[in-house]
Amino acid sequence: MSILAEAFALVFQPYVLMVILSAAAFGMFVGAIPGLTATMATALLVPVTFFMDPVPAIAAIVTATAMAIFAGDIPGTLLRMPGTPASAAYVEDAYKMTRSGRAEEALGASLVFSAIGGIFGTIVLVTAAPMLAEVALKFSSFEYFWLVVLGLSCAVFVSPGSVSRGMISLIIGLFAATIGIDNPAGQPRYTFGNVELLAGVQFIPAMIGLFAVSEVLRFVASGAETPAVEKGGRTGVFAKQWTNLKRYPVQAMRGSVTGTAIGALPGAGADIAAWISYAISKKFSKQPQKFGTGHVEGLVEAGASNNGAVSGAWIPALVFGIPGDSITAIVIGVLYIKGLNPGPTIFINQPQLIYAVFIVFFLANVIMLPMGWIAIKAARTILSIPARILMPIILMFCIVGSFAINNSPFGITLMVVFGVIGFLMEENDIPIAPAILGLVLGPMLEQNFVTSMIKADGSFLAFFERPIAAGLGLFTIAIWCIPLVMLLLRRGRGRSGGKPSAGASDRIGG
């Protein structure tokens, strides 16, 4: 109990609380600008943390990360410009809710269920970190290969429209992911002699182009003078969230569990978690046909999964010093600088500091509610701006975000190219979201496949020899087979449902 009291004393100091509030505002601002991700917010804070004690330093990073992950939903909902790849999983539903005048309901759902997922993930982090991290360590390249394939499969099956169009979109993304240095030969691949492409296609400029620039091009092509988004009625940010919680408690809990579990796997992160949770939500929904048309159910589950994954990623980082995602990779560096060597011994040697970090996690997710409310109310004014003024501003943010990734004009070139591709895809009813996931997970898919094949000496059976890998592989293949089985069952019922009469047969034959 004395350790817990000491942890509370470390956190509830005026200076530390001021740092938490400042980091919350900073994270909310950075996350709400398309192209500036939660990872970038964390990286920008690192130089500032050099001058802080361990607790406020970690508190600043934890708070900014939690805020930035949620804030990525704000431009996605209002402008169809997802701030993170995770937000892209449900951007169609969120944006269509905005188009129908339900922007505050959509953002309120993202806010409330992000906080719920984050708090759940923190509870798991506090109570079951060593156990979950032990499971995460059992994941090798075989398990990660199947996990990535599962995430890609979910993107195809949850995309609006036909599965074939979703597959086309995914292939476009996977092809873009192959550009760069060949794995493992180290040969340039599809670079056409361009040095900038040796590092591959950066997914942030590509995502900005596919979603935002394509929207600008569509506006220019249509020549419309109406506002880009409809103002709609002001329902209130929290007005319908209690109703949503009573209607979708299973979805909220399932998203929190899925996000935390996937976040605990090193290298998986919130992106895969959001896509898989959205797919699960659609699969088990009583109204799957409404997904992609402005239905809040997917936002509830995937939103909870997002921030659950943020907390889950700290499990392997704290217990074993293995980063769960790019953010915790930066955090581990900060921990070492502050003399907090992550690993099992940290719970023995400096338990008060670890408990202080846990308290900060709870505080960050609670503070998210009022800070998110302020951000939503401030961003809501965007809806009243006429499109002819709004679109150039959007384009300006797109250019800044694409340039800021590597401080290179080539990011702007990528943005424009993918903007045209996105425009052409949507003109032909090909969904964009699977292409984004293919681009993000493509390198991970190839790396784990090549590594696994080298380990197995070219044997495909090795992908099913380990228990967890076999379970994931069989589950993924079952998902592939479900549409085929359903089609065969429907055809079987159609044939057995009654043979046509002789007259009808004659008419068909004649």
Side-chain angles (χ1 to χ4, degrees):
M1 188 59 71
S2 60
I3 293 173
L4 194 59
E6 193 177 342
F8 271 101
L10 285 170
V11 174
F12 286 94
Q13 298 178 27
Y15 173 65
V16 176
L17 294 175
M18 185 189 72
V19 167
I20 289 173
L21 285 173
S22 302
F26 172 74
M28 199 69 73
F29 173 75
V30 172
I33 298 177
L36 305 185
T37 62
T39 305
M40 187 176 290
T42 306
L44 291 171
L45 276 177
V46 169
V48 181
T49 62
F50 291 159
F51 307 100
M52 297 180 182
D53 291 332
V55 171
I58 300 302
I61 291 175
V62 169
T63 309
T65 302
M67 300 299 160
I69 291 289
F70 156 70
D73 292 344
I74 295 176
T77 301
L78 297 181
L79 304 171
R80 199 169 171 264
M81 299 166 61
T84 64
S87 302
Y90 46 88
V91 70
E92 292 296 341
D93 276 309
Y95 183 64
K96 284 178 180 173
M97 287 179 72
T98 298
R99 295 288 294 172
S100 61
R102 297 160 61 204
E104 290 192 348
E105 182 189 345
L107 287 169
S110 295
L111 174 61
V112 169
F113 291 97
S114 289
I116 289 172
I119 290 170
F120 177 87
T122 305
I123 293 170
V124 174
L125 174 64
V126 172
T127 57
M131 183 181 65
L132 280 176
E134 203 170 315
V135 174
L137 278 180
K138 292 180 180 176
F139 270 59
S140 68
S141 58
F142 297 101
E143 285 81 8
Y144 277 114
F145 170 78
W146 284 120
L147 187 67
V148 172
V149 173
L150 178 61
L152 295 173
S153 304
C154 291
V156 171
F157 289 115
V158 304
S159 61
S162 67
V163 172
S164 58
R165 284 192 169 94
M167 183 65 75
I168 291 169
S169 177
L170 180 62
I171 289 170
I172 291 171
L174 288 174
F175 171 74
T178 63
I179 296 172
I181 298 294
D182 183 18
N183 177 27
Q187 292 292 321
R189 185 171 56 185
Y190 306 126
T191 59
F192 307 105
N194 190 314
V195 177
E196 298 276 5
L197 284 175
L198 287 173
V201 174
Q202 294 286 330
F203 70 81
I204 294 295
M207 185 173 71
I208 291 172
L210 286 169
F211 280 110
V213 176
S214 64
E215 194 73 22
V216 174
L217 290 174
R218 190 175 303 104
F219 169 75
V220 172
S222 66
E225 290 296 326
T226 55
V229 286
E230 297 168 14
K231 192 169 181 180
R234 291 181 178 269
T235 57
V237 175
F238 300 113
K240 293 189 176 181
Q241 301 320 316
W242 179 244
T243 304
N244 286 333
L245 184 57
K246 288 192 293 184
R247 186 179 297 168
Y248 304 118
V250 174
Q251 287 82 347
M253 178 56 67
R254 196 167 55 203
S256 301
V257 172
T258 304
T260 304
I262 292 176
L265 303 175
D271 302 344
I272 297 178
W275 282 91
I276 289 180
S277 288
Y278 186 81
I280 291 171
S281 186
K282 184 176 180 180
K283 176 66 181 171
F284 293 101
S285 174
K286 295 177 181 176
Q287 300 173 308
Q289 73 281 0
K290 288 189 175 182
F291 279 66
T293 64
H295 190 46
V296 76
E297 187 177 350
L299 272 68
V300 167
E301 188 154 347
S305 184
N306 265 359
N307 278 56
V310 171
S311 302
W314 281 70
I315 294 170
L318 287 178
V319 179
F320 292 101
I322 298 172
D325 56 11
S326 56
I327 294 168
T328 47
I330 298 171
V331 168
I332 286 173
V334 175
L335 288 171
Y336 277 114
I337 291 169
K338 298 298 177 186
L340 299 172
N341 297 342
T345 56
I346 197 172
F347 290 85
I348 301 168
N349 298 335
Q350 296 163 307
Q352 70 281 4
L353 293 179
I354 291 301
Y355 280 110
V357 171
F358 293 158
I359 293 167
V360 168
F361 263 101
F362 283 112
L363 267 181
N365 285 287
V366 171
I367 290 172
M368 187 192 299
L369 294 171
M371 293 293 291
W373 181 84
I374 293 169
I376 291 168
K377 288 296 182 183
R380 190 67 164 78
T381 56
I382 292 172
L383 299 184
S384 61
I385 302 174
R388 65 182 182 276
I389 298 173
L390 184 61
M391 288 301 172
I393 295 172
I394 291 173
L395 193 58
M396 181 189 71
F397 275 115
C398 291
I399 292 169
V400 171
S402 299
F403 180 83
I405 299 303
N406 289 320
N407 290 327
S408 168
F410 187 71
I412 301 171
T413 305
L414 280 177
M415 176 198 77
V416 172
V417 170
F418 278 91
V420 174
I421 292 171
F423 173 75
L424 294 174
M425 285 171 67
E426 293 213 316
E427 287 296 301
N428 292 282
D429 295 324
I430 297 173
I432 286 174
I436 288 292
L437 199 66
L439 186 58
V440 172
L441 297 183
M444 194 175 177
L445 177 74
E446 181 181 18
Q447 181 182 350
N448 285 297
F449 177 74
V450 171
T451 304
S452 299
M453 290 299 284
I454 291 171
K455 286 180 185 176
D457 198 21
S459 171
F460 286 103
L461 291 176
F463 286 89
F464 297 93
E465 287 175 355
R466 296 164 60 91
I468 299 176
L472 282 171
L474 292 172
F475 181 67
T476 304
I477 292 170
I479 288 177
W480 296 346
C481 294
I482 284 171
L484 181 62
V485 171
M486 295 299 289
L487 179 64
L488 293 174
L489 285 174
R490 279 197 296 269
R491 284 186 177 175
R493 285 173 191 160
R495 286 173 184 168
S496 62
K499 296 181 180 178
S501 63
S505 300
D506 291 340
R507 285 194 298 273
I508 293 170

